[in-house]
Amino acid sequence: ALGELGGNLNAIFSQFSAGLATLLAELSGEISPTPGTETFSGSIVWAGISRDYLGIRPVNAPAGAPVLLLLHPNGLSPGRMANLTLVGRLAADYGAWVYLPASRGGAWADDPGALFGADDVGFLDALLTREVSAHALDASRIYGAGYSNGGFMIERLACERPALLAGIALVAATLRDSVASRCTGPSRTPTVLFNGTRDPIVPYNGVPTLASATNTATFWAARNQCVATERSVTNLPDLDRTDGTTVSVSRYTRCVDSVVAQYTINGGGHTWPGTQYANYTLALGPTTGDIDATLEL
């Protein structure tokens, strides 16, 4: 029964991701320029296959810059992911190098329990290792963020390569049981989560094989040696009273050299908070205008 449910979940992911790609078809696949930044592209051969990526970096970027690995959802190209999130702002404002790699076949192999799939963990590790060395980037400040399928992939990477990422951000993603079982060694990874209570793809309250949003935050709090009972909950200002959402943030306040925060978008769907392209994702539920996930992460 669980195997059948897992198959159904994959089918739902594919269906809605295809809808997302269609809804975003009016967005150019080319990265919209952000003042003060420049885009670049490249490829790396991994497991005998050439894998492509796009990137955004500050103009005249100094050595020792931080890195953000940003993973697209199922069916969305790296260029459209950059435009959806307006991630170029992080290069312009924080000096980060942003890497947007492409999955094989439009979907990341985020489930270690699957029988087939690309070695995306090895590919992402190899890409970051090569680029950090080639451009004198800061290996201690590599952060990972992902949306939906991309968020699940970031979690798998964080569990299987715990020394690689200095922090992770998950949008519209929770935690697979198969990934949790890979997170056995000691590691502290600062974590921020964004989940909508009306997400039709990744249910906020969870389903078999997928943890709830709250239990996902609890899992990462335990990994970060946070005191479970020491939390603060803040209701954020309802800046956009037309979107039908409100946002609260729960922060674990006593962690060991770390932080875990969970943004709950009350009434929110399977969407990227704060995107200016919310009209293109209406089929995935409401998008909050009360926070901007790109800047919050």
Side-chain angles (χ1 to χ4, degrees):
L2 290 179
E4 181 179 354
L5 178 58
N8 290 338
L9 285 173
N10 288 333
I12 293 172
F13 275 127
S14 298
Q15 175 186 353
F16 276 85
S17 297
L20 176 62
T22 301
L23 289 166
L24 294 174
E26 294 185 41
L27 287 175
S28 170
E30 299 294 327
I31 296 178
S32 299
T34 301
T37 72
E38 54 190 7
T39 61
F40 59 96
S41 62
S43 63
I44 182 174
V45 175
W46 182 253
I49 300 171
S50 180
R51 303 289 300 268
D52 299 328
Y53 61 89
L54 297 178
I56 307 172
R57 62 191 172 208
V59 174
N60 301 320
V67 176
L68 175 66
L69 174 70
L70 182 60
L71 302 187
H72 64 77
N74 195 334
L76 199 66
S77 71
R80 287 176 176 162
M81 181 63 176
N83 294 341
L84 178 74
T85 60
L86 297 178
V87 73
R89 294 173 293 171
L90 301 187
D93 297 341
Y94 296 96
W97 287 50
V98 182
Y99 285 86
L100 300 113
S103 63
R104 288 194 65 201
W108 297 103
D110 65 78
D111 184 358
L115 295 178
F116 303 100
D119 179 17
D120 284 333
V121 170
F123 158 57
L124 295 171
D125 189 354
L127 171 63
L128 292 170
T129 299
R130 187 191 73 175
E131 292 298 294
V132 166
S133 176
H135 302 291
L137 305 176
D138 189 346
S140 69
R141 290 192 295 160
I142 302 175
Y143 302 90
Y147 174 18
S148 189
N149 174 224
F152 284 102
M153 188 66 229
I154 285 294
E155 276 188 301
R156 181 178 182 182
L157 183 63
C159 283
E160 297 189 15
R161 299 290 192 275
L164 183 63
L165 300 178
I168 60 175
L170 314 175
V171 176
T174 54
L175 179 68
R176 289 190 183 276
D177 290 349
S178 58
V179 170
S181 66
R182 300 291 184 99
C183 263
T184 56
S187 177
R188 291 193 293 275
T189 306
T191 303
V192 60
L193 307 99
F194 302 84
N195 297 99
T197 61
R198 291 176 55 194
D199 188 327
I201 313 302
V202 181
Y204 186 86
N205 291 322
V207 292
T209 76
L210 288 182
S212 68
T214 299
N215 287 346
T216 300
T218 300
F219 173 87
W220 285 106
R223 294 277 296 165
N224 285 279
Q225 300 179 40
C226 304
V227 178
T229 56
E230 297 289 333
R231 290 191 305 157
S232 67
V233 179
T234 304
N235 295 319
L236 302 184
D238 189 5
L239 301 178
D240 185 347
R241 296 182 179 274
T242 67
D243 60 22
T245 73
T246 58
V247 179
S248 62
V249 57
S250 175
R251 300 181 186 274
Y252 286 83
T253 56
R254 287 186 61 191
C255 305
V256 178
D257 298 327
S258 189
V259 64
V260 175
Q262 179 185 23
Y263 288 79
T264 295
I265 297 92
N266 301 295
H270 192 73
T271 55
W272 187 276
T275 178
Q276 66 179 17
Y277 295 107
N279 288 337
Y280 294 109
T281 58
L282 288 175
L284 301 178
T287 298
T288 187
D290 298 332
I291 58 170
D292 184 329
T294 304
L295 301 183
E296 292 293 329
L297 70 86

